[in-house]
Amino acid sequence: RLAVGTENLLDQALNYQYPDHPQFDAEVKLADLGKVFEQLRRAIFADNGRIDVDTQLRPLMRSFAQPLHLGEMHERHFIFKDEWPKQLTRELAKDEFAGEAITVKRLRAAIDQPQPKGLPDYVQNLLIMVFAEHGEYAFSLHGNDYEPTLKDMPDTLVLVKQDLAEPADWQAGIAHAAALFGITVSSLRTPNHQNTLEKEVLEETRRLLPAVEQLLASLKVAFSRMKIAAHGNRFDTTEACVQLLSAVKMKKGAELVEALAKVKAPTNINAMGKNLASASVVNQSIESNNWELIDLALQKGVVAEGIRQKIVSALESDELVTSLPQVLRLMQAEATSLLREPDPVTEPEPAPGPGPFELPTTVVSKAHKSGLGRQQAKALFEQLEKELSDDCVLDISYTIVRKGDKE
């Protein structure tokens, strides 16, 4: 009874000193407020401010969100109310620093208008973070992005208005940022998350652009070595990467997110990510490749055609599909082996043999006769017959003239 009485006295004293102090249904704990804020953040960016709340979180929303007039917890769903953001905006417009930068210190003072509320710092921090999320503000400290928490929110923080990307662009943009650069940010579309995405993407862009530009130039050289024009998925993907990085480095905020969201990959977004991540290594493999060795091997003609085809195929394919450094190493090894092999010995074709009338010959007899009569000719033929054996041939030419013919 004594404890209950003491607690009642404290409540009465608090209500007397701070008549506008909200009546919480449970002890205020930092961890519980963190869970409440995550639900409030979801509701702020939800359609009509309405969200379904998990069963175990509903009592917390009733105990803290409702007393702070941040919304109503129904049986299953919570509906956000923007009373606090509107009230703080009105108070900021009336204070002595109206028109100047919005700071956490100014917002703390605005919370206690028109009467002090007696809220602990972490409850004030909750209201300030709701104000920032609803108004699309990011936090900055001395010109640098700052991610405050319910436990850590310096008075010197400045709230900077941000133009947030459209919800669809945000979801597509962070998905592409993960595939292209390996950057992971929260799916919640908030000013600070957008600033984080911008910072990390621009850092990667500055780091990767020189390597990708050099890779594009090296690919042109490699294709020329193969005596063909630059073409194929690898070249198209590299060109798309150069175009993307060149465009993104000039953008900020919502425009940067939109540029990421609208990336059109020649093959697929993962191929572009692999191209960006491996640009330096692939470029080095092209520049250090022993192209003179490859050229010598290709002079072997048909036997070296396999080397040429494998190099061209690798140049045409995305790095996601075919590792160009690995192919070039293997082809150098094949070229070396090919050049070590002796050229095949070609047997000369045998000279054609002599024909039937081209055998070596010996003249057995030779004579020239003319003016022979019939008997003389008969005697000559008989003599020739005796001399003409089976391994001899006879060349003959004759003319028969009839005497006494008149014209």
Side-chain angles (χ1 to χ4, degrees):
R1 291 182 178 179
L2 180 61
V4 173
T6 302
E7 184 176 346
N8 288 335
L9 286 174
L10 290 174
D11 286 342
Q12 291 176 15
L14 187 63
N15 289 334
Y16 179 79
Q17 185 177 3
Y18 302 109
D20 284 349
H21 185 83
Q23 300 297 314
F24 297 121
D25 294 340
E27 180 185 356
V28 179
K29 296 179 179 179
L30 188 63
D32 290 338
L33 286 184
K35 296 174 182 178
V36 169
F37 175 66
E38 289 305 317
Q39 300 308 305
L40 291 170
R41 175 184 264 172
R42 287 179 55 222
I44 289 171
F45 295 103
D47 291 339
N48 302 315
R50 176 179 172 139
I51 60 169
D52 286 334
V53 178
D54 291 341
T55 303
Q56 67 271 23
L57 297 176
R58 293 169 191 168
L60 294 179
M61 299 304 286
R62 291 191 181 97
S63 296
F64 301 113
Q66 284 190 171
L68 286 170
H69 305 294
L70 290 170
E72 293 186 11
M73 184 67 237
H74 298 270
E75 184 177 352
R76 294 182 55 184
H77 62 271
F78 176 82
I79 300 177
F80 174 75
K81 291 184 178 180
D82 60 359
E83 291 183 13
W84 265 109
K86 287 181 178 178
Q87 178 181 334
L88 291 176
T89 299
R90 288 192 296 267
E91 295 300 332
L92 289 172
K94 295 187 298 184
D95 73 6
E96 58 181 312
F97 303 103
E100 297 183 14
I102 299 175
T103 63
V104 168
K105 183 177 181 180
R106 286 182 64 194
L107 286 169
R108 293 197 194 283
I111 289 172
D112 282 334
Q113 298 298 326
Q115 296 185 73
K117 307 295 188 299
L119 297 175
D121 282 352
Y122 41 85
V123 176
Q124 290 186 4
N125 294 348
L126 173 68
L127 295 176
I128 292 171
M129 290 175 76
V130 167
F131 172 83
E133 296 286 342
H134 183 269
E136 300 183 351
Y137 289 96
F139 291 89
S140 174
L141 181 65
H142 308 307
N144 298 314
D145 292 339
Y146 195 95
E147 189 75 42
T149 65
L150 294 176
K151 190 177 180 180
D152 171 34
M153 187 176 291
D155 286 350
T156 52
L157 289 181
V158 176
L159 281 74
V160 183
K161 185 73 172 177
Q162 301 285 301
D163 290 327
L164 292 184
E166 293 297 320
D169 285 344
W170 175 254
Q171 295 303 323
I174 61 175
H176 287 172
L180 291 167
F181 307 109
I183 293 173
T184 302
V185 297
S186 172
S187 60
L188 289 174
R189 183 179 61 104
T190 69
N192 272 70
H193 290 161
Q194 182 169 285
N195 280 351
T196 299
L197 178 66
E198 173 190 311
K199 178 183 178 182
E200 294 188 13
V201 168
L202 290 178
E203 286 177 354
E204 286 298 286
T205 297
R206 287 190 290 269
R207 183 178 70 86
L208 293 172
L209 183 55
V212 181
E213 287 178 329
Q214 185 57 51
L215 174 59
L216 188 64
S218 294
L219 285 173
K220 293 177 181 178
V221 173
F223 273 108
S224 69
R225 284 282 190 172
M226 295 294 100
K227 296 181 172 53
I228 54 176
H231 68 286
N233 292 340
R234 185 186 298 272
F235 185 81
D236 293 343
T237 297
T238 305
E239 199 167 43
C241 288
V242 170
Q243 292 171 355
L244 170 66
L245 298 182
S246 299
V248 165
K249 72 176 184 178
M250 306 300 294
K251 298 184 182 298
K252 291 185 177 181
E255 287 187 354
L256 182 144
V257 177
E258 183 181 5
L260 290 174
K262 294 183 176 178
V263 172
K264 300 297 182 185
T267 53
N268 63 72
I269 197 72
N270 291 325
M272 290 185 69
K274 181 65 173 179
N275 186 286
L276 289 169
S278 62
S280 181
V281 172
V282 175
N283 178 65
Q284 179 62 32
S285 73
I286 296 174
E287 291 185 343
S288 63
N289 187 53
N290 192 340
W291 293 103
E292 290 74 15
L293 177 69
I294 300 296
D295 289 341
L296 285 174
L298 294 180
Q299 293 175 15
K300 292 280 188 176
V302 177
V303 293
E305 185 59 24
I307 294 176
R308 181 183 183 280
Q309 289 178 355
K310 291 175 184 176
I311 293 177
V312 170
S313 178
L315 286 171
E316 291 173 337
S317 302
D318 278 318
E319 185 67 15
L320 186 65
V321 176
T322 303
S323 170
L324 182 58
Q326 181 179 4
V327 169
L328 291 178
R329 286 194 300 270
L330 291 174
M331 291 308 98
Q332 284 187 77
E334 285 193 23
T336 300
S337 298
L338 183 61
L339 290 172
R340 285 175 177 170
E341 295 176 3
D343 291 332
V345 177
T346 304
E347 295 290 340
E349 298 209 5
F357 300 105
E358 297 177 354
L359 294 172
T361 59
T362 302
V363 178
V364 177
S365 64
K366 186 178 182 181
H368 177 74
K369 304 289 186 179
S370 62
L372 299 178
R374 181 174 182 177
Q375 292 301 323
Q376 292 173 316
K378 185 178 179 182
L380 178 59
F381 291 150
E382 289 175 354
Q383 180 183 348
L384 291 175
E385 186 178 4
K386 292 177 182 179
E387 295 178 0
L388 191 61
S389 60
D390 291 338
D391 59 349
C392 295
V393 293
L394 173 66
D395 293 332
I396 188 170
S397 175
Y398 66 90
T399 302
I400 299 176
V401 179
R402 189 187 302 275
K403 293 183 178 181
D405 284 351
K406 295 182 180 179
E407 295 182 3

